[in-house]
Amino acid sequence: MTTGMADSGTEARDTFPKLLAERARTGANRPAYREKEYGIWQTYSWSHVAAQVRLLAAGLADLGFRRGDRLIVVGDNRPRLYWSMCAAQSLGGVPVPVYQDSVADELAYVVEHGGARFALAENQEQVDKLLAIQKKVPSLGVIIYDDPRGMRHYDQLQSYAEVQERGAKLLAAAPDTVSAEVAKGRGSDEAIMLYTSGTTGRPKGAILSYDNLVWAATAGAEFDGLKEGDELLSYLPMAWVGDHIFSYAQGYVVGLVVNCPESVATVMTDLREIGPTYYFAPPRVLENLITQVTIRMEDAGLLKRRMFQFFMTVARRVGPALLDGRPVSPLDRLLYALGNLLIYGPLKNTLGMSRVRVAYTAGEAVGPEIFNFYRALGVNMKQLYGQTEASVFVTIHPNGEVYPDTVGKPVSQVELRIADSGEVLYRSPGVFKEYFKNPEATNDTKTADGWVHTGDAGYLDDRGHLRIIDRAKDVGKLNDGTLFAPKFIENKLKFFPHINEVVAFGHGRDYVAVFVNIDMIAVGDWAERRNVAYASYQELASRPEVYDLIQGEIEQVNHDLAADPRMAGAQIRRFLVLHKALEADDGELTRTNKVRRGFIGERYKPLVDALYDGSRTAHIKVDVTFEDGRKGAIEGDVTVRDVAPHATLKKAS
């Protein structure tokens, strides 16, 4: 296999600044990054990237940035923000990317906890947050901005270009300033600090070394045959470990071409234009894409809808088998080829997946219906199981062994162990060094001999694949002893395009009940086609017609659960549609869109009580944070509905 990867075992290539120097030497004119500005793609070569990083690193040095300093990086995916991380690393510093949609208080915690003296912001929006933080956290001394729009009167700050100008002057006087610092770097040094999602409390700063990241980038690339020149679109938050591995570490190790979209709003257009060969999407993105497809089909004419339904039935039967190399009859091959011409090919092109050779989904459990939809189209979608603390890679589906109920086999050099409690543990060269300023949490998570507690319950099946049941702390039992795995139930409901989020309750209760968040776009489209009037999310969510719609979908899930004797007792008996969307700004979701289950249970306790005390309605008032930072409250009466369970069904043999 030819990957174009540098040998991570040699000291000369054991850090990203050294890898960048090697890329610039051996592939100076090959594309490294692209950025879309004003509708035009700009391409930057490896030699250009190396020159830009060197200038910025020298400018940071001139401003007083020293080995061990932390650089806060906040903004959307931009080449210059990725380059700033390498510039900090060139001087022995540690970049700390932060979620760009973090409110000021969340950002302040990271700045103060990390002890950062320097910050680089993409634009005025992020600068304003940092300036507000600077008043409370005076240790933040230097703020640099990239985009000059709106920054005319921010004279006290440094622009990206101005820092590079300082760097040029320093290098003219002392040419070896940056290269001497790069040479001091070692694979065991701290490379990045990434804050975990914080589902149960304050996020923790996980410190990963170059050795961790270079191993992970290499192991992941070798597993699926990534090669130099493979294209990906970098649209997920830079603060998330997945983006750091795929867009940054594998970019340097493999020689990927990293494409940065023009904006969040243009991602789908940019995806179609680039046609990536390497693709990653968390379950929520995959769910949203299916929702868009479903809405378009519902608005299509009868003939087109019937044709779509027929060929998707063929695709679900034939597509995964073709991907896995299993036998397929000549008639099915012919039907699939016709479907590819009429349906699958145009749909993949619309989704920007026409050239995808390997695609991953991870971050949380994905429903099998969602997963199989993409494989039915011929997209080589795989599940990946990993964590920040693992430098991402723990298990991946091997080609020909892709099963929707597993998360694959261990990556090279990864050891797996299942504790007596059912918790999954792993050990690998990617295991993080420590949690910053938190030795107690480090010791709770990582054993002295390097095993990491995942917090997930699971087991290895007879095929050697890992199956994850749920978060260990979330798996429970109903009062009659029936297994209660909330994520399993939630994901089955989230396959329906009208349902955006679900929170299931049941541990220690007599039955399962759920909160439902509707998808405003899908349900809004559904309501408009039926002349159902509404003026807001709250009003739409309370409509009896919407309750009827959601109840029908819950009943379908109950029918599926009834077919599994282990889960038949976990059918949903009561539900309500929340009067507001769950939001990260309100603390209900993490910045990676994971449900903060405990927080929601406490925040909406009157509604949880209503699900179990027989109430038909309940009144609720909760504080909310609006997009502009203002605080307010939303209150109203929420309807609770009963759902009749299905009789236990026997599975067909």
Side-chain angles (χ1 to χ4, degrees), residues 349-521:
N349 184 58
T350 298
L351 297 175
M353 298 183 184
S354 294
R355 295 203 305 149
V356 170
R357 198 174 70 254
V358 60
Y360 296 138
T361 184
E364 62 175 322
V366 60
E369 298 89 350
I370 297 167
F371 185 70
N372 286 332
F373 175 86
Y374 292 94
R375 289 190 63 78
L377 296 177
V379 177
N380 188 23
M381 182 71 68
K382 303 180 177 188
Q383 292 201 61
L384 178 159
Y385 176 68
Q387 293 185 315
T388 302
E389 293 83 352
S391 304
V392 174
F393 294 108
V394 178
T395 64
I396 307 176
H397 280 137
N399 286 329
E401 297 184 50
V402 180
Y403 311 113
D405 57 348
T406 79
V407 291
K409 289 183 172 180
V411 174
S412 174
Q413 299 185 63
V414 174
E415 300 173 76
L416 283 182
R417 191 175 81 192
I418 309 299
D420 293 339
S421 63
E423 184 184 10
V424 178
L425 287 80
Y426 64 84
R427 184 166 61 181
S428 80
V431 169
F432 75 123
K433 295 185 73 169
E434 62 182 349
Y435 291 125
F436 188 61
K437 295 181 181 177
N438 200 338
E440 182 178 348
T442 302
N443 293 333
D444 287 344
T445 301
K446 186 169 72 168
T447 66
D449 55 350
W451 288 95
V452 176
H453 292 269
T454 64
D456 290 322
Y459 63 92
L460 288 166
D461 66 16
D462 55 9
R463 300 166 296 193
H465 279 243
L466 178 64
R467 295 187 67 169
I468 298 295
I469 299 171
D470 210 321
R471 291 294 292 172
K473 64 182 176 59
D474 291 335
V475 175
K477 291 184 177 181
L478 304 183
N479 285 337
D480 65 1
T482 300
L483 176 70
F484 171 64
K487 261 296 170 200
F488 180 79
I489 295 169
E490 291 163 1
N491 283 333
K492 290 188 78 67
L493 278 170
K494 286 164 65 177
F495 174 74
F496 294 98
H498 306 110
I499 297 176
N500 186 52
E501 191 57 80
V502 183
V503 185
F505 304 92
H507 176 57
R509 306 276 191 172
D510 291 333
Y511 55 84
V512 174
V514 298
F515 288 172
V516 172
N517 255 173
I518 58 172
D519 186 288
M520 186 66 174
I521 296 174

Side-chain angles (χ1 to χ4, degrees), residues 71-78 81-82 84-85 96-103 107 110-111 118-130 133 140 143-147 238-239:
L71 173 70
I72 298 292
V73 180
V74 57
D76 289 331
N77 309 69
R78 293 283 174 261
L81 268 61
Y82 285 115
S84 74
M85 294 197 291
V96 185
V98 182
Y99 288 99
Q100 64 269 41
D101 57 351
S102 297
V103 295
L107 187 53
V110 173
V111 172
F118 291 77
L120 191 147
E122 177 198 0
N123 53 25
Q124 184 183 16
E125 177 190 357
Q126 306 298 349
V127 165
D128 287 342
K129 285 192 284 190
L130 288 167
I133 289 166
L140 177 60
I143 298 174
I144 304 164
Y145 62 88
D146 176 23
D147 189 343
M238 292 177 64

Side-chain angles (χ1 to χ4, degrees), residues 32-152:
Y33 286 84
R34 291 196 191 94
E35 181 178 27
K36 193 177 183 184
E37 290 187 295
Y38 305 111
I40 300 173
W41 287 101
Q42 308 290 336
T43 301
Y44 305 108
S45 67
W46 284 109
S47 60
H48 178 86
V49 173
Q52 292 295 305
V53 167
R54 183 167 176 262
L55 285 173
L56 185 63
L60 287 171
D62 193 54
L63 288 169
F65 192 92
R66 298 292 180 262
R67 187 164 294 273
D69 271 337
R70 265 103 177 121
L71 173 70
I72 298 292
V73 180
V74 57
D76 289 331
N77 309 69
R78 293 283 174 261
R80 285 177 292 279
L81 268 61
Y82 285 115
W83 303 342
S84 74
M85 294 197 291
C86 195
Q89 292 170 336
S90 297
L91 301 175
V94 181
V96 185
V98 182
Y99 288 99
Q100 64 269 41
D101 57 351
S102 297
V103 295
D105 287 345
E106 292 171 320
L107 187 53
Y109 171 76
V110 173
V111 172
E112 185 170 26
H113 181 261
R117 298 193 301 122
F118 291 77
L120 191 147
E122 177 198 0
N123 53 25
Q124 184 183 16
E125 177 190 357
Q126 306 298 349
V127 165
D128 287 342
K129 285 192 284 190
L130 288 167
L131 288 173
I133 289 166
Q134 200 173 37
K135 297 174 183 176
K136 303 175 185 177
V137 188
S139 59
L140 177 60
V142 179
I143 298 174
I144 304 164
Y145 62 88
D146 176 23
D147 189 343
R149 287 175 291 189
M151 303 297 297
R152 181 178 300 175

Side-chain angles (χ1 to χ4, degrees), residues 198-278:
T199 56
T200 57
R202 283 289 198 180
K204 300 182 288 289
I207 295 175
L208 301 173
S209 70
Y210 294 106
D211 286 340
N212 294 151
L213 296 168
V214 171
W215 167 81
T218 304
E222 289 178 343
F223 195 96
D224 270 315
L226 297 183
K227 59 183 184 295
E228 186 176 16
D230 269 334
E231 305 259 2
L232 80 159
L233 187 74
S234 299
Y235 67 100
L236 297 168
M238 292 177 64
W240 179 60
V241 66
D243 183 76
H244 191 69
I245 289 291
F246 304 137
S247 300
Y248 187 78
Q250 288 188 327
Y252 282 65
V253 169
V254 182
L256 304 179
V257 183
V258 176
N259 299 276
C260 295
E262 188 164 16
S263 69
V264 173
T266 66
V267 165
M268 287 307 300
T269 301
D270 300 339
L271 195 63
R272 285 193 294 272
E273 291 178 358
I274 289 298
T277 57
Y278 183 34

Side-chain angles (χ1 to χ4, degrees), residues 289-298 308 347 351 373:
L289 291 177
I290 291 177
T291 296
Q292 293 174 29
V293 171
T294 303
I295 290 172
R296 290 182 63 181
M297 283 300 103
E298 288 180 350
F308 178 80
L347 182 53
L351 297 175
F373 175 86

Side-chain angles (χ1 to χ4, degrees), residues 178-201:
V178 176
S179 58
E181 292 299 322
V182 169
K184 295 177 185 177
R186 295 292 179 268
S188 58
D189 293 346
E190 296 178 15
I192 191 85
M193 184 156 71
L194 298 168
Y195 279 80
T196 60
S197 56
T199 56
T200 57

